[in-house]
Amino acid sequence: MLKKLIVITAIALLGISCAMANGDGNNGNDNGKNGKSDGNKEKNDGKMGSGGDWLNPNMVSSEYYQIFPWYTTGGSFYSQKYSEMTFSPFTEYYMTSGMPVVGGIVSTPAKFDIAQKMPSEIYYGTGQALPYNQYVSTVPSGTNELWVQGATNWTQYVVSPVGTWLQLVANAPVGGPGGFYEIVQTDTSTVKYNTYQFNQGYNTMNFNADQVGRHMLYFVVNNQPSNVVIVDVFAQAPPAYGQSNSPMPQYQTFASNTVTPIASMPQQTPTGYGDTPVTIQSQGMKGYQVYLDENYIGTEGTGGDPVDGRFSFSVVGNQNHDIRVYDGQFNYPKTMFFQKGVQKIINVEPGTAVYM
């Protein structure tokens, strides 16, 4: 029986220390029993030398795998644009460039050597994960399979911007001629069909997400259907940088060395800098992505930033900002107040995954 992945969200460590405070105990100046929050009264939060604030993990599956009401009717749902935050949990699965697919749904299946590119984990449509070696031990022989290939994992569900490319992996144990089906759902549904010659075993194919809508993909070889892969495709909203009230980071880094590539994100040019320095620090995370007010601003350890678990930038002070860190599996979001000119230290550590 497949073991179920249970993701345990780390305990919310909301205690915030101050440079001049005497501790997080009963002292009236701390943010402990006096119940101070991340609002305008938080005058000493995260000063230089303090322990700083804490971000806590938020698993993406419950938030991202069930947010799109495709059963809804009406054109507004399909025509609206979504921010980069919508796509960020899936960036390892799509690319901004690729070979055009001419006269078909996918490119001609090519032989794929699974021994050279074995995934670490596979993800079902619900976001449930399973180690690949455990998965293959339970798959019946002769089963046709279809997956979206990522940098290190495979999945049956992806959210991607329109115009991007995905790499599909099809396992056809028998091989031979087969039909590939694509059902596209928007306000109406359309069905596309094409025939391909599948190699025995694993095949790889390019797929261009060139139309907004829900794309349901599967193939049939030897009268046996594969599972369905779902790709939800949306238009992406432009970045919010350049607005007069948009805080700007000190570091602009746009390439990732993590399992979640940033190559799909457009480069953004700062028009100024904030007046309040911020440092995110982690003992157990490297190469994480940083988002400020739902805008991607950089990746730790790239673009000249040392690979030390620390990432620094600046914001406009005396106001609240949304900070989010993404480590390839967990989101660590929090809204907090930044006092003008006072350095804020933000701590973030990896979430915990337990198999039962």
Side-chain angles (χ1 to χ4, degrees):
M1 184 176 181
L2 297 182
K3 295 185 179 180
K4 186 176 182 182
L5 174 67
I6 300 177
V7 178
I8 301 178
T9 305
I11 299 174
L13 302 175
L14 299 179
I16 302 169
S17 58
C18 307
M20 303 304 295
N22 293 326
D24 278 330
N26 297 324
N27 191 297
N29 294 324
D30 62 18
N31 285 323
K33 295 189 176 181
N34 277 355
K36 287 189 177 181
S37 63
D38 287 322
N40 292 332
K41 294 182 180 181
E42 190 180 353
K43 298 301 183 182
N44 296 319
D45 183 17
K47 285 188 177 180
M48 181 70 72
S50 74
D53 212 341
W54 284 87
L55 297 184
N56 308 293
N58 180 23
M59 186 57 181
V60 301
S61 60
S62 60
E63 178 181 357
Y64 286 92
Y65 285 81
Q66 302 175 16
I67 62 174
F68 300 124
W70 286 104
Y71 51 81
T72 302
T73 59
S76 61
F77 171 76
Y78 305 99
S79 61
Q80 64 180 297
K81 296 182 178 181
Y82 289 83
S83 71
E84 191 282 326
M85 185 176 180
T86 301
F87 308 105
S88 62
F90 304 95
T91 51
E92 76 160 293
Y93 298 106
Y94 62 81
M95 300 169 288
T96 57
S97 62
M99 295 296 293
V101 177
V102 180
I105 302 170
V106 294
S107 62
T108 301
K111 191 71 176 177
F112 179 81
D113 188 355
I114 183 65
Q116 299 297 320
K117 194 69 174 179
M118 188 176 298
S120 174
E121 292 184 312
I122 57 98
Y123 285 83
Y124 296 100
T126 59
Q128 178 187 5
L130 195 69
Y132 177 74
N133 57 4
Q134 181 178 341
Y135 166 77
V136 295
S137 67
T138 64
V139 179
S141 61
T143 300
N144 291 328
E145 306 168 68
L146 185 63
W147 300 92
V148 179
Q149 180 187 1
T152 59
N153 303 307
W154 292 358
T155 184
Q156 292 179 353
Y157 177 73
V158 171
V159 179
S160 72
V162 66
T164 54
W165 275 260
L166 291 79
Q167 199 75 17
L168 303 180
V169 175
N171 181 21
V174 175
F180 197 98
Y181 296 81
E182 178 186 17
I183 302 172
V184 183
Q185 179 184 348
T186 53
D187 291 326
T188 59
S189 296
T190 59
V191 179
K192 301 178 183 179
Y193 168 79
N194 208 350
T195 58
Y196 297 90
Q197 183 70 27
F198 288 85
N199 300 285
Q200 183 178 9
Y202 286 91
N203 299 255
T204 182
M205 303 164 290
N206 293 327
F207 172 73
N208 184 207
D210 59 354
Q211 178 184 349
V212 168
R214 165 162 283 191
H215 297 248
M216 290 166 278
L217 311 171
Y218 70 98
F219 70 95
V220 178
V221 172
N222 196 32
N223 294 324
Q224 296 296 319
S226 72
N227 58 283
V228 175
V229 161
I230 295 178
V231 182
D232 282 339
V233 182
F234 294 98
Q236 184 170 353
Y241 282 118
Q243 300 176 356
S244 59
N245 61 345
S246 296
M248 296 299 156
Q250 289 179 340
Y251 292 92
Q252 287 290 313
T253 55
F254 300 93
S256 174
N257 58 0
T258 70
V259 298
T260 310
I262 300 300
S264 59
M265 299 180 185
Q267 182 164 341
Q268 300 152 350
T269 303
T271 58
Y273 294 90
D275 52 29
T276 302
V278 182
T279 296
I280 296 175
Q281 60 185 19
S282 176
Q283 298 296 320
M285 290 168 50
K286 301 289 190 299
Y288 53 80
Q289 302 169 22
V290 180
Y291 298 82
L292 172 64
D293 296 327
E294 298 190 5
N295 294 300
Y296 166 77
I297 60 172
T299 300
E300 188 276 336
T302 65
D305 182 55
V307 185
D308 57 4
R310 295 169 61 89
F311 184 87
S312 298
F313 56 101
S314 61
V315 301
V316 175
N318 285 342
Q319 59 182 273
N320 289 324
H321 291 287
D322 296 325
I323 305 295
R324 181 168 66 91
V325 167
Y326 178 61
D327 66 358
Q329 181 180 13
F330 293 94
N331 277 303
Y332 304 76
K334 190 173 184 181
T335 300
M336 59 188 73
F337 180 78
F338 293 81
Q339 184 179 350
K340 182 177 180 180
V342 177
Q343 183 177 16
K344 172 82 80 172
I345 305 296
I346 302 173
N347 298 286
V348 56
E349 296 302 334
T352 304
V354 177
Y355 289 94
M356 297 184 65

